[in-house]
Structure formats: C-alpha cells, structure tokens
Amino acid sequence: MRLDRYISNSGYATRSEVKKLIRSGAVLVNGKTVKAPDMHIDENADTVTVGGKEIRYKKYVYLMLNKPAGYVSATEDKHYKTVTELAGDEYKGYDLFPVGRLDIDTEGLLVLTNDGAFAHNVISPKKNIYKKYFAVLDKDAEDKDIEEFKKGMIFDDFTAKSAVLTITGKRNEVYIEIAEGKFHQVKRMCKRVGKEVLYLKRVSIGSLELDKDLEPGVVKELTEDEINLIFG
Ligand code: URA
C-alpha cells in the first residue's frame, strides 16, 4: 500500500495533509526518513511513525455517536451541520458516513462507519435488526395502539413490519421497536394511531444500547463485542 494512503487510512490526517507531513520529513519507515508519498510499504511488516508516534492502519472504523438534535444524518449539507463533523480530527482520514438516518430533531444512537457492507447489513429490513426508540407523545398512548403496532402498517411507499409499542408509567412516554428505518417511520406510525411525536431518541440497535455515559455530540469507538451485539 502507498505510504500516504496507509497514514491517511489510519485516521491521522487527510491525504493532502499527509503528503505535506511526508515531504517535511516527519515520517519514518522502519526508522528511516521517507519523503516519497508514493513509496510502497508492507502494512503487516513495516513500522511507520509520524513525529515519533507509531501509526497503526485500520481499514474500517465503527463509531457510536450520541446524536444531538440539530445535525443532519449526512456527510455534507449546504445548510446544516452534519453528524460526520462530530467524529473530529482523529477520524478525518476515513470516509465516514452514518449507518441509516435519524431526523434532524431526533437524538441518540447513531453508528458512523466507512464499512459499506456492514452498514447494509444493519439497515436492510431483510436482516430484521430491531431499532428501539424512546418517544414522548402529545397524548397518552392507549392499549389498542399496541395491537395496531403489532399488526404492522401499510403506507403508500412501504409496509412496516410488526412493531413493538411499550407504554411506560407515564402513558405519553413510550418505547417503539421497528425492524426498518424508513423516512419518518416512527412519527408516521404514531400519527396513524392519532399521536404526534414531540421528542424522539434512539436507544438501541439490535442488542447494542446507547452508552449512558456518552454525552450528546460525542463519539466512541465500538469494540468487536459491541459491534456483534448489533447482530446478536
Ligand atoms: N423514525 C422517525 O420518525 N424519525 C427518526 O429519526 C427515526 C425513526
């Protein structure tokens, strides 16, 4: 692999910044200064340091974000701040994107990655991975709503599979589990039973729960065990 790609894929800096670093003499391969960004290195055998710090290559990254309201689930946007901006400089070299979308006003668990196959597996309705949301409604949920959610719902553009509505001690505060993630799905399902969603937060994907210690707007890298919880 090219030296500049190896360093940028490690998340250290962007490709153009990496080129400058290499040309400035800050990069050593096996202890020797290298000034050619296109030098080929063996990612399993060579040791690369930048300013004395060893760089470890990671092809894919998986981040848990506690999404705050006010950010769009996109990589670029003309008008709004994007969720990928929240990953910070450390992950600049990766082409991160959000796994599925949360509305601009929705908060909570969002995974950012650069692994397209993984993202597909999480999002695909065929994989039946349930996403759980906490919602505050404008009215109290009724027991008959539970049945409506359970039956699934037919919309013009898609059919929502059987969903789970759980009413908490406060009847206008509910948990909703859905197997898909269509545009405004939770809000549309609630509307179908005559309720508006006033507040929405995703709390889990599969068995992976939002880390309660993760502040809004902050990311943390997922461990392999945590990634497996999504599918487990
Ligand atoms: N359903 C919605 O209506 N909005 C979201 O952000 C996610 C699911």
Side-chain angles (χ1 to χ4, degrees), residues 101-103 106 133 184-187 200:
R101 281 163 191 262
L102 293 178
D103 297 337
T106 302
Y133 295 83
H184 293 339
Q185 182 170 339
V186 169
K187 292 172 185 165
L200 191 60

Side-chain angles (χ1 to χ4, degrees), residues 73 101-107 133 178 180-189 197 200 202:
S73 298
R101 281 163 191 262
L102 293 178
D103 297 337
I104 189 164
D105 56 349
T106 302
E107 300 180 2
Y133 295 83
I178 56 173
E180 310 88 352
K182 298 286 183 203
F183 189 58
H184 293 339
Q185 182 170 339
V186 169
K187 292 172 185 165
R188 289 165 75 189
M189 292 181 82
V197 172
L200 191 60
R202 181 154 64 189

Side-chain angles (χ1 to χ4, degrees), residues 9 21 30 33-34 43 91 151 159 162 164 167 176 184-185 206 208:
N9 279 2
L21 279 168
N30 301 326
T33 305
V34 171
E43 61 260 34
Y91 298 100
K151 277 194 258 168
T159 298
S162 179
V164 183
I167 304 172
I176 293 165
H184 293 339
Q185 182 170 339
L208 176 70

Side-chain angles (χ1 to χ4, degrees), residues 188-227:
R188 289 165 75 189
M189 292 181 82
C190 290
K191 194 154 193 158
R192 182 62 66 82
V193 295
K195 280 96 191 162
E196 292 289 337
V197 172
L198 303 179
Y199 172 81
L200 191 60
K201 178 178 187 174
R202 181 154 64 189
V203 294
S204 59
I205 302 175
S207 300
L208 176 70
E209 290 178 8
L210 177 66
D211 185 333
K212 294 199 169 49
D213 297 327
L214 196 64
E215 297 287 335
V218 177
V219 295
K220 71 160 205 178
E221 226 166 289
L222 291 173
T223 63
E224 213 175 310
D225 286 348
E226 287 173 319
I227 294 165

